[in-house]
């Protein structure tokens, strides 16, 4: 009897020990599974997401340029007379009618007097020929003699016409170019006249900025940006040299930028546009640097996303959408590729024509590179 009881107690103890071993094994497996899952979770990329929403785009057009006169008066001279006195220099303010340059005209005046003397001589020669012709007619001269005298008369008349035109041109030049005066009130921007020398051919003796006609500021921008502005648009130009003064201006012209335009060099194949602004302010004297910022808002789009959400590969444009999957240890998040069709875009956002819904959570940033099908963690506060 005692032996049977002892045997039963040993069997119970054995089963209890086996149960403890099994329980310990199960607990260890659970702990290992949890620990491995925790390590895996710590290695996953964290992603921030946004849902598509309705919104507008803001296109910003920025640039800079320098002030120049809207109109300039280039004063040329037709003669090669040397300047005897240059009365202005670049930067001088002048009034309409003010004397700018005086030229040496003694030789030109003497040449005009010589031509007048030759004209008088020709006049005397003509009178003499006319008398000879009359005498020949009275004395019954032959036809050959009369024709010769008649030709000499016509030749002398032509010589006189040439001299008369030369004298008229000399007198006009003496009147117009002996003293160069300003036709407008403004500021002298260039002087090519030098005392004692003639003005170089093809160059204006003096150039004057006519500030009464206002000022211009020209800037070069990318062709893509130029589509968001138009002639007639108004904005404000900011001038740092005038304590950041804001001066109203209006776009007066948009054209292809010349190859020699300043600003950032265009990449090969990148078109550029030159925008001209008209403005008027008495504080401006020319050469001041001005900056502008023009913002144009679009109509509302049904769906927009940050530019960072838009991705491209050999298959086209797409976004990564965060999908939730239920697992034995809770929810898991996996990325899914969604092809999208994009529309307009600004520097911050892109409009989405189709491919995602307002309920989709789209990845906009991640702690490390991610791809389609990858398991990730959703960043807190995203």
């Amino acid at each position: 009897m005692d032996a049977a009881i002892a045997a039963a107690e040993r069997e119970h103890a054995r089963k209890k020990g086996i149960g403890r071993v099994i329980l310990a094994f199960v607990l260890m497996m659970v702990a290992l599974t949890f620990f491995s899952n925790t390590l895996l979770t710590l290695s996953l990329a964290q992603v921030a997401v946004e849902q598509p929403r309705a919104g507008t785009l803001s296109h910003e057009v920025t640039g800079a340029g320098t002030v120049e006169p809207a109109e300039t008066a280039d004063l040329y001279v037709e003669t090669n007379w040397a300047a005897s006195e240059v009365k202005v220099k670049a930067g001088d303010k002048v009034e309409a009618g003010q004397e700018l340059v005086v030229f040496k005209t003694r030789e030109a005046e003497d040449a005009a007097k010589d031509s007048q003397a030759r004209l008088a001589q020709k006049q005397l020669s003509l009178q003499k020929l006319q008398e000879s012709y009359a005498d020949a007619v009275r004395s019954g001269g032959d036809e050959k003699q009369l024709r010769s005298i008649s030709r000499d008369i016509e030749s002398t008349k032509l010589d006189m016409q040439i001299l008369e035109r030369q004298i008229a041109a000399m007198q006009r030049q003496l009147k117009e170019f002996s003293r160069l005066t300003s036709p407008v009130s403004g500021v002298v921007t260039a002087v090519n006249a030098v005392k004692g020398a003639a003005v170089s051919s093809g160059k204006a003796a003096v150039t004057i900025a006519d500030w009464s006609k206002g000022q211009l500021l020209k800037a070069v921008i990318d062709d893509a940006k130029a589509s968001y502005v138009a002639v007639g648009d108004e904005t404000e130009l900011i001038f740092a040299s005038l304590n950041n003064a804001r001066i109203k201006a209006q776009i007066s012209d948009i054209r292809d930028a010349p190859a020699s335009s300043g600003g950032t060099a265009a990449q090969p194949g990148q078109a550029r546009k030159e925008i001209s602004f008209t403005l008027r302010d008495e504080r401006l004297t020319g050469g001041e640097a001005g900056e502008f910022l023009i913002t144009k808002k679009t109509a509302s789009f049904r769906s927009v996303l940050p530019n960072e959400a838009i991705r491209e590969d050999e298959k086209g444009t797409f976004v990564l959408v965060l999908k939730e999957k239920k697992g034995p240890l809770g929810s898991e998040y996996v990325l899914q590729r969604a092809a999208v069709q994009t529309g307009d875009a600004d520097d911050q956002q892109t409009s989405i024509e189709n491919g995602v819904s307002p309920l989709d959570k789209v990845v906009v940033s991640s702690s490390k590179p991610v791809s389609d099908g990858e398991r990730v963690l959703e960043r807190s506060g995203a």
Side-chain angles (χ1 to χ4, degrees), residues 81-369:
W81 302 337
S84 62
E85 187 177 4
V86 179
K87 297 186 173 183
V88 293
K89 62 182 181 300
D92 286 352
K93 291 184 177 181
V94 295
E95 299 295 330
Q98 182 175 331
E99 195 170 83
L100 309 174
V101 183
V102 179
F103 292 94
K104 296 179 180 179
T105 59
R106 176 64 63 83
E107 293 182 1
E109 291 171 355
D110 290 343
K113 291 176 181 179
D114 291 344
S115 293
Q116 289 172 336
R118 285 194 293 273
L119 179 61
Q121 288 176 337
K122 289 292 183 181
Q123 182 66 41
L124 292 174
S125 297
L126 178 62
Q127 291 176 356
K128 185 176 181 181
L129 288 169
Q130 289 172 336
E131 291 173 356
S132 296
Y133 186 86
D135 291 342
V137 170
R138 284 194 298 268
S139 62
D142 59 29
E143 185 178 347
K144 183 178 180 181
Q145 181 185 14
L146 291 174
R147 282 202 303 270
S148 177
I149 297 173
S150 180
R151 284 195 297 271
D152 290 341
I153 290 173
E154 291 304 318
S155 177
T156 301
K157 287 182 178 180
L158 291 174
D159 289 342
M160 291 175 65
Q161 291 175 7
I162 293 172
L163 284 170
E164 286 171 349
R165 288 194 295 271
Q166 289 177 346
I167 293 168
M170 290 178 182
Q171 290 175 339
R172 180 184 63 80
Q173 289 179 338
L174 285 168
K175 180 179 179 180
E176 293 182 7
F177 302 115
S178 61
R179 297 175 182 273
L180 194 63
T181 59
S182 176
V184 297
S185 296
V187 177
V188 176
T189 59
V191 177
N192 292 312
V194 180
K195 184 177 180 178
V199 178
S200 299
S201 177
K203 288 187 176 182
V206 180
T207 300
I208 299 173
D210 186 357
W211 292 107
S212 66
K213 302 295 176 62
Q215 299 93 23
L216 282 180
L217 183 142
K218 296 180 180 180
V220 177
I221 62 174
D222 291 339
D223 185 63
K225 292 289 187 180
S227 62
Y228 301 116
V229 294
V231 172
D233 285 351
E234 295 184 347
T235 187
E236 288 185 334
L237 302 179
I238 302 173
F239 293 91
S241 61
L242 298 178
N243 295 322
N244 291 323
R246 294 176 176 268
I247 298 176
K248 290 184 178 180
Q250 185 178 61
I251 296 177
S252 58
D253 185 57
I254 301 175
R255 64 180 63 191
D256 292 337
S260 59
S261 291
T264 305
Q267 298 298 320
Q270 182 183 16
R272 309 275 278 172
K273 292 290 186 182
E274 182 182 71
I275 299 182
S276 296
F277 295 89
T278 57
L279 60 158
R280 187 187 296 271
D281 194 285
E282 294 180 352
R283 292 171 293 179
L284 298 172
T285 59
E288 295 90 351
E291 300 178 346
F292 63 90
L293 168 61
I294 300 174
T295 302
K296 290 287 188 74
K297 285 191 175 294
T298 66
S300 181
F301 291 96
R302 179 180 60 85
S303 180
V304 296
L305 282 170
N307 292 340
E308 294 80 8
I310 312 302
R311 304 163 186 264
E312 289 187 359
D313 61 13
E314 67 279 0
K315 296 180 182 179
T317 304
F318 69 99
V319 297
L320 292 175
V321 178
L322 188 68
K323 296 293 185 178
E324 182 178 2
K325 291 185 177 181
K326 299 295 184 180
L329 297 178
S331 297
E332 296 179 351
Y333 295 98
V334 178
L335 299 181
Q336 180 177 307
R337 187 185 194 278
V340 295
Q341 181 179 353
T342 59
D344 197 4
D346 60 19
D347 294 336
Q348 304 292 329
Q349 302 180 110
T350 299
S351 65
I352 307 298
E353 303 296 332
N354 56 58
V356 291
S357 74
L359 298 179
D360 287 330
K361 293 183 177 182
V362 179
V363 175
V364 295
S365 66
S366 60
S367 59
K368 59 183 179 180

